């Protein structure tokens, strides 16, 4: 498989560090509010990566954190703790907010068929890990204590910027209007490993540490949780593109300084979902959630398909019109699969392999999900039996996770019920493809007469058509006709 590595800015062959396992880490949500569908775009594409790796035979262990402490409104350690902000907004405790939005996040993931990672770890569970790492960083001179907080000293690194070639002077990391710059920092990009002096005295969660009672910085959480569950090396680290700097850059700085060797081999970043007015953000107040999509009548899996139709390394513009198109495509796809009739025939192994090879090739090429969706349409057109087509579609859906087989079965059931109740829409099929509105009208009138048990009228219409040289054959929910 080839995977684009943000650290090398190249598509590389994916070679895991260990033959028996792929170690994958994902930055989890900050649980102070609902996830917006932009966040969920990242989780959908990461889910596809994990499922594809499993599909082609890798044994994957995937770990995700839940950020329930330490993430300030500015990624550069300034502003208020997001959790505290959420708690104040809703007049609840930080713990209550964390529980509520963690549950809400996994409920949204379930609706989008995003698999729960093997390990999900709240940041507040791993304080000892962070203290262990920070202690060594202090002992080895990578960290310093100033103004009550412990900072990482970025000047100690040979190379700090990993994902971009920024010049330090070009960057004003996260400094926003109305947010005071932290004068304790020796260098502009130094970041907090451990806070004891918070500007916000009402910080709810605090722990004892060698540097005083306080709480961890956001970046140290991911290093600590990853090392706790995956050890000293990592194959793939994922996140949305906004995490690349400063979050992932800082994760690398502290992890490699602590370990004394390279930490993670591949960095996968998902570009943003934007609206016409710009980046989607939780702090902007109103934002798009899965619930809003459902309230407006959309199937969350239509949103999943919308995401799969474009490449994760391209930013994606969300509009209701785009989602309408995705929903229409999704429903048509289900209808076409529902029209396949399982007949207990043997699987055509040659066809299965040819179709699967194309699908795997698409995803092996840096997760080209839009080509993988095209490969699904190829199945529908392929010259083979319907049992084989259904088996291939079920197989692809292990990665795509669009509930294709289940929804198609429901559709078939619905059509059957309509046929029994007589409520199905009556279809007229011209066997030659010739369109004739008057024939169509007569056939519909005949169906209406039959429904009203006016068999004499139904027979009269049949005779009229016969006299005009037209032969009629009844089919379920309709009739087909041809000229004799
Ligand atoms: P947060 O809950 O803010 O920590 O973000 C959760 C994940 O969503 C992170 O991986 C972010 O990088 C990612 N993310 C944030 N905004 C967007 C967006 N508009 N589109 C795609 N991913 C995003
Ligand atoms: Zn992280």
């Amino acid at each position: 498989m080839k995977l684009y590595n943000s650290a090398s800015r190249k598509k590389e062959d994916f070679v895991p560090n260990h033959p028996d396992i792929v170690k994958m880490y994902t930055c989890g949500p900050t649980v102070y509010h609902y996830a917006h569908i932009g966040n969920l775009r990242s989780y959908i594409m990461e889910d596809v990566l994990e499922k594809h790796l499993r599909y082609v035979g890798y044994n994957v262990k995937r770990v995700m954190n839940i950020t329930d402490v330490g993430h300030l409104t500015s990624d550069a350690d300034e502003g208020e703790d997001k959790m505290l902000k959420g708690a104040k907004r809703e007049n609840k405790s930080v713990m209550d907010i964390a529980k509520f939005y963690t549950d809400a996040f996994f409920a949204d993931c379930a609706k989008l068929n995003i698999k729960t990672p093997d390990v999900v770890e709240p940041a507040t569970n791993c304080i000892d890990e962070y203290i262990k790492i920070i202690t060594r960083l202090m002992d080895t001179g990578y960290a310093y204590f100033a103004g009550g907080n412990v900072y990482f000293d970025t000047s100690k690194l040979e190379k700090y910027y990993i994902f971009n070639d920024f010049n330090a002077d070009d960057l004003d990391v996260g400094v926003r209007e109305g947010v005071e710059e932290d004068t304790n920092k020796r260098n502009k990009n130094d970041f907090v490993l451990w806070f004891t002096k918070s500007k916000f005295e009402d910080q709810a969660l605090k722990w004892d540490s060698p540097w005083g009672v306080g709480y961890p910085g956001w970046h140290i959480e991911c290093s600590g949780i990853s090392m706790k569950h995956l050890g000293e090396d990592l194959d793939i680290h994922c996140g949305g593109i906004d995490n690349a700097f400063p979050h992932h850059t800082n994760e690398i700085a502290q992890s490699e300084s602590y370990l004394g060797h390279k930490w993670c081999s591949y960095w996968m970043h998902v570009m943003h979902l934007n609206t016409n007015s710009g980046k989607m953000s939780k702090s902007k107040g109103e934002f798009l959630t899965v619930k809003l999509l459902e309230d407006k009548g959309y199937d969350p899996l239509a949103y999943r398909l919308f995401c799969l139709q474009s490449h994760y390394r391209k930013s994606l513009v969300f509009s209701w019109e785009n989602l309408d198109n995705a929903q229409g495509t999704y429903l048509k796809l289900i209808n076409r699969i529902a029209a396949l009739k399982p007949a207990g025939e043997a699987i055509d192994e040659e066809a299965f392999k040819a179709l699967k090879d194309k699908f795997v090739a698409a995803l092996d090429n840096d997760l080209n999900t839009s080509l993988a969706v095209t490969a699904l349409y190829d199945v529908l057109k392929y010259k083979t039996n319907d049992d084989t087509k259904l088996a291939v579609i079920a197989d692809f859906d292990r990665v795509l996770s669009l509930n294709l087989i289940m929804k198609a079965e429901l559709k078939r059931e619905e059509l059957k019920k309509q046929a029994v109740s007589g409520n199905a829409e009556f279809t007229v099929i011209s066997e030659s493809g010739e369109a004739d509105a008057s024939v169509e009208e007569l056939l519909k009138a005949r169906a209406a007469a039959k429904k009203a048990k006016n068999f004499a009228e139904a027979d009269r219409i049949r005779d009229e058509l016969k006299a005009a040289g037209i032969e009629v054959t009844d089919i379920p929910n309709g009739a087909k006709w041809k000229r004799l």
Side-chain angles (χ1 to χ4, degrees):
M1 179 188 190
K2 283 200 184 301
L3 192 61
Y4 182 84
N5 186 353
S6 311
S8 65
R9 270 156 270 160
K10 282 193 201 94
K11 250 196 235 180
E12 294 177 11
D13 282 324
F14 176 66
V15 185
N17 288 325
H18 308 271
D20 54 338
I21 193 161
V22 172
K23 301 185 194 179
M24 190 171 167
Y25 184 86
T26 302
C27 288
T30 308
V31 283
Y32 71 112
H33 218 319
Y34 291 107
H36 58 58
I37 59 171
N39 302 129
L40 291 161
R41 178 194 192 199
S42 288
Y43 295 111
I44 288 171
M45 302 318 283
E46 294 160 4
D47 180 66
V48 172
L49 174 61
E50 179 192 345
K51 285 177 178 160
H52 180 62
L53 289 169
R54 291 184 195 275
Y55 181 74
V56 295
Y58 289 109
N59 175 27
V60 180
K61 180 170 179 189
R62 181 157 173 216
V63 177
M64 186 171 86
N65 66 303
I66 297 289
T67 300
D68 53 0
V69 68
H71 193 177
L72 305 194
T73 43
S74 146
D75 287 353
D77 310 326
E78 278 123 19
E80 198 174 357
D81 184 306
K82 290 187 178 189
M83 294 303 297
L84 201 59
K85 202 172 155 185
K88 277 189 195 156
R89 185 187 64 231
E90 299 186 17
N91 217 4
K92 288 185 190 153
S93 72
V94 166
M95 295 308 258
D96 286 347
I97 289 286
K99 167 142 189 28
F100 181 84
Y101 288 112
T102 301
D103 292 348
F105 173 73
F106 286 111
D108 285 346
C109 286
K111 285 177 184 163
L112 292 163
N113 279 344
I114 297 168
K115 176 185 168 293
T116 301
D118 305 290
V119 177
V120 175
E121 184 82 278
T124 48
N125 266 4
C126 302
I127 302 299
D128 290 350
E129 300 299 316
Y130 318 140
I131 290 179
K132 191 170 92 186
I133 298 171
I134 301 168
T135 302
R136 191 188 293 176
L137 291 174
M138 284 292 273
D139 291 349
T140 49
Y142 283 104
Y144 60 93
F145 187 78
N149 296 330
V150 181
Y151 294 87
F152 186 90
D153 186 349
T154 53
S155 71
K156 293 282 187 292
L157 301 172
E158 266 174 46
K159 185 171 161 56
Y160 171 64
Y161 300 108
I162 302 292
F163 303 110
N164 37 33
D165 295 320
F166 291 138
N167 180 328
D169 295 336
D170 296 341
L171 282 168
D172 242 353
V173 187
V175 175
R176 293 179 192 179
E177 258 179 75
V179 177
E180 244 176 83
E181 215 174 327
D182 185 344
T183 51
N184 296 317
K185 292 184 183 183
R186 289 184 192 161
N187 311 287
K188 194 180 224 168
N189 288 313
D190 289 358
F191 54 93
V192 178
L193 297 165
W194 188 265
F195 290 96
T196 64
K197 275 267 167 52
S198 170
K199 278 173 272 173
F200 307 98
E201 293 306 325
D202 46 356
Q203 175 68 30
L205 298 172
K206 293 177 192 178
W207 295 265
D208 205 5
S209 85
W211 316 283
V213 174
Y215 59 100
W218 171 41
H219 315 299
I220 196 72
E221 297 173 6
C222 289
S223 295
I225 293 171
S226 173
M227 286 181 208
K228 177 177 172 186
H229 294 286
L230 297 167
E232 293 198 352
D233 68 299
L234 192 55
D235 290 302
I236 308 174
H237 193 311
C238 328
I241 189 64
D242 59 312
N243 282 167
F245 188 83
H247 183 50
H248 292 163
T249 306
N250 292 348
E251 281 186 41
I252 295 170
Q254 67 206 2
S255 299
E256 298 196 347
S257 303
Y258 169 75
L259 294 166
H261 59 73
K262 191 175 164 74
W263 176 47
C264 175
S265 310
Y266 302 86
W267 289 84
M268 183 238 201
H269 288 117
V270 181
M271 296 299 139
H272 275 170
L273 178 80
N274 299 315
T275 58
N276 287 326
S277 55
K279 194 194 143 191
M280 207 167 283
S281 143
K282 288 186 208 180
S283 47
K284 274 191 194 159
E286 258 222 338
F287 55 87
L288 298 164
T289 57
V290 169
K291 182 171 182 305
L292 183 68
L293 302 192
E294 286 184 304
D295 287 348
K296 286 181 178 279
Y298 294 97
D299 186 327
L301 293 179
Y303 177 66
R304 185 174 171 110
L305 177 62
F306 173 67
C307 292
L308 297 183
Q309 284 171 321
S310 70
H311 196 262
Y312 75 90
R313 277 198 298 117
K314 288 198 180 125
S315 54
L316 180 59
V317 175
F318 176 84
S319 69
W320 293 110
E321 196 186 347
N322 289 345
L323 188 59
D324 280 339
N325 289 338
Q327 171 116 331
T329 305
Y330 185 53
L331 294 179
K332 272 191 216 145
L333 188 58
I334 300 292
N335 286 347
R336 287 183 67 182
I337 298 169
L340 300 174
K341 302 271 183 309
E345 281 186 62
I347 300 297
D348 174 352
E349 297 295 347
E350 212 172 297
F352 196 112
K353 184 175 180 312
L355 291 162
K356 181 163 179 152
D357 284 352
K358 220 169 162 186
F359 180 74
V360 170
L363 292 174
D364 269 354
N365 184 10
D366 192 26
L367 228 56
N368 192 332
T369 48
S370 74
L371 260 188
V373 171
T374 307
L376 188 61
Y377 283 95
D378 292 342
V379 179
L380 293 165
K381 284 183 264 170
Y382 207 81
K383 282 204 167 50
T384 186
N385 64 55
D386 284 4
D387 288 280
T388 302
K389 290 184 186 184
L390 286 164
V392 175
I393 292 166
D395 188 61
F396 290 6
D397 215 28
R398 286 163 52 201
V399 180
L400 301 176
S401 297
L402 293 167
N403 287 0
L404 297 171
I405 297 296
M406 192 249 275
K407 294 248 164 137
E409 271 164 16
L410 288 176
K411 184 77 201 174
R412 261 186 233 120
E413 286 301 313
E414 183 190 317
L415 290 174
K416 257 191 232 158
K417 271 192 208 141
Q418 282 178 355
V420 171
S421 68
N423 289 331
E425 184 141 337
F426 187 80
T427 45
V428 175
I429 296 171
S430 153
E431 287 185 55
S432 68
E434 172 196 346
D436 190 322
S438 62
V439 174
E440 211 164 290
E441 222 165 89
L442 280 169
L443 285 170
K444 283 186 177 160
R446 177 171 162 264
K450 280 213 285 193
K451 201 171 168 190
K453 302 210 182 327
N454 186 351
F455 299 110
E457 173 64 2
D459 288 346
R460 190 198 64 73
I461 297 174
R462 177 188 281 263
D463 291 345
E464 184 184 329
L465 285 163
K466 201 171 174 188
I470 287 167
E471 184 186 81
V472 177
T473 314
D474 290 320
I475 57 170
N477 303 334
K480 43 183 195 177
W481 65 273
K482 64 177 180 200
R483 292 190 194 279
L484 289 170

